[in-house]
Amino acid sequence: MRPPSRFSISSILTPTAFKSLIASSKSPVIPLDATWYLPNSGRDGREEFLSERIPGARFFDIDEVKDTSSPYPHMLPSAEVFDKAMSNLGITRDDILVVYDKQGNFSAPRLLWTLKVFQHPSIFILDNYPLYKREGHEIDTKKLSAVEEANPAAAIYESPGLIEDRVVAYTDLRQVIVEPLFRKKFNIIDARPYARWTGEAPEPRPGLPSGHLPDSISIPFSEVLDESSKEFKDTSKLQELFLEKGVDPDKPTIVMCGTGVTACVLETALGKSGLLLEDKPVMVYDGSWTEWAQRSDDKFIIKGKH
């Protein structure tokens, strides 16, 4: 695998800092609602957006803006598909984007990472929507009949393209895993719940075996968030957590989860921690466990604890 190139830096905003950004910015500040729920949750992010959103928000559907030719749920779209989606949302590259989700740092980091790999110049994540509501900031509850009602006229958006070396493909990861000495040169971190990592709990997708990659580290994404507020933990606590779990700051890091969504929570948290050197960055295995469990040899699907 090639050493990854430089990556755009994003910032984490408190609700108060978000409001200050809107008040002080000379460029348009556009909130992007990236709410997504697991298929068995019975909830729909798009439908909830129609009833409630941050004023001026637009809905970015991670279930639609993806590689629809792939059998895996959330593979990154092509630059053409991404650019078309952004254009349809009325977004230009001069806009400042602030992503959020209704759960509070669940699916918004996936959109944040997507915007980073497609090199949008100015991006932030709101930390977070439930806290924004509790603090009494303005909410738009006008009922919309269609998401398009919240969007202005289409714009022209042209990204510079995807930073490919921040995305790990199955063939790349297999190359790492097959050779034990090689895989020990990487931090491989899994964001799924611990019981799915050990294989004790089933995957939410029927027929998919649970378990984990050899030499991977289990850090459920919930552990980088405050239990009550769902905010990202502060820098010192994140550093302590990652070091305690065995993350080596001198190694490049690969993060994964079930379908590539909550892996990005870890990617954001690792960035906030400041633990990793710039030349030892975080890469996301886009297909994540859903792809690995279907394509890999059984000997590379490990059950139990290390």
Side-chain angles (χ1 to χ4, degrees):
M1 297 173 65
R2 296 174 296 152
S5 59
R6 290 181 63 85
F7 202 37
S8 60
I9 302 298
S10 61
S11 295
I12 299 173
L13 297 177
T14 65
T16 300
F18 168 53
K19 298 299 289 186
S20 295
L21 174 66
I22 293 174
S24 63
S25 176
K26 295 180 180 178
S27 298
V29 177
I30 300 175
L32 285 181
D33 188 326
T35 302
W36 174 81
Y37 297 101
L38 289 170
N40 57 359
S41 70
R43 298 180 66 177
D44 186 307
R46 175 181 286 267
E47 287 301 313
E48 291 184 8
F49 174 83
L50 296 177
S51 299
E52 177 185 302
R53 65 214 147 263
I54 291 175
R58 302 165 200 182
F59 185 74
F60 190 104
D61 194 336
I62 64 173
D63 262 342
E64 287 189 0
V65 187
K66 62 181 182 179
D67 179 1
T68 56
S69 68
S70 172
Y72 309 111
H74 292 119
M75 303 296 276
L76 282 168
S78 66
E80 292 76 17
V81 169
F82 176 79
D83 289 356
K84 182 179 180 181
M86 296 289 275
S87 297
N88 289 343
L89 287 170
I91 294 170
T92 74
R93 288 182 56 77
D94 293 328
D95 296 329
I96 298 170
L97 305 179
V98 181
V99 303
Y100 72 93
D101 67 70
K102 296 271 175 48
Q103 297 186 75
N105 294 321
F106 179 72
S107 53
R110 171 68 189 195
L111 177 53
L112 181 73
W113 177 73
T114 300
L115 293 168
K116 286 194 285 188
V117 296
F118 280 108
Q119 306 180 69
H120 188 82
S122 187
I123 44 179
F124 299 86
I125 185 168
L126 175 63
D127 191 18
N128 55 46
Y129 184 79
L131 185 61
Y132 176 93
K133 283 190 69 176
R134 285 200 298 273
E135 290 182 357
H137 297 291
E138 186 180 1
I139 300 292
D140 183 356
T141 56
K142 177 187 175 183
K143 181 67 176 178
L144 301 176
S145 59
V147 166
E148 288 72 17
E149 290 183 34
N151 299 335
I156 297 176
Y157 190 97
E158 294 182 353
S159 69
L162 179 71
I163 304 177
E164 293 184 357
D165 52 17
R166 290 305 176 111
V167 186
V168 177
Y170 171 80
T171 52
D172 296 328
L173 188 55
R174 182 176 174 81
Q175 180 185 355
V176 171
I177 295 297
V178 165
E179 176 50 59
L181 291 178
F182 191 31
R183 69 178 179 244
K184 290 183 183 298
K185 295 181 180 180
F186 291 81
N187 299 307
I188 304 171
I189 312 176
D190 194 320
R192 290 174 300 150
Y194 182 69
R196 286 165 58 190
W197 183 86
T198 63
E200 297 171 283
E203 292 295 308
R205 288 162 181 81
L208 195 69
S210 54
H212 61 270
L213 273 67
D215 291 321
S216 64
I217 300 169
S218 173
I219 306 181
F221 78 92
S222 59
E223 293 191 17
V224 304
L225 305 175
D226 179 87
E227 186 175 352
S228 59
S229 71
K230 305 304 180 185
E231 294 172 277
F232 283 100
K233 292 180 177 178
D234 65 35
T235 297
S236 61
K237 288 183 179 179
L238 289 172
Q239 288 188 359
E240 181 181 351
L241 170 66
F242 290 130
L243 291 172
E244 184 181 90
K245 295 284 189 175
V247 176
D248 186 338
D250 293 326
K251 295 179 181 179
T253 298
I254 299 169
V255 292
M256 61 180 292
C257 56
T259 66
V261 176
T262 57
C264 299
V265 179
L266 295 187
E267 191 272 340
T268 304
L270 282 160
K272 180 177 181 179
S273 76
L275 189 64
L276 303 181
L277 300 175
E278 190 174 311
D279 63 343
K280 300 290 189 297
V282 182
M283 298 164 278
V284 174
Y285 172 32
D286 205 21
S288 278
W289 186 254
T290 299
E291 180 180 34
W292 186 264
Q294 293 182 65
R295 296 185 65 180
S296 179
D297 305 337
D298 289 345
K299 64 182 178 180
F300 296 132
I301 297 177
I302 309 300
K303 305 283 187 178
K305 307 171 185 178
H306 285 328

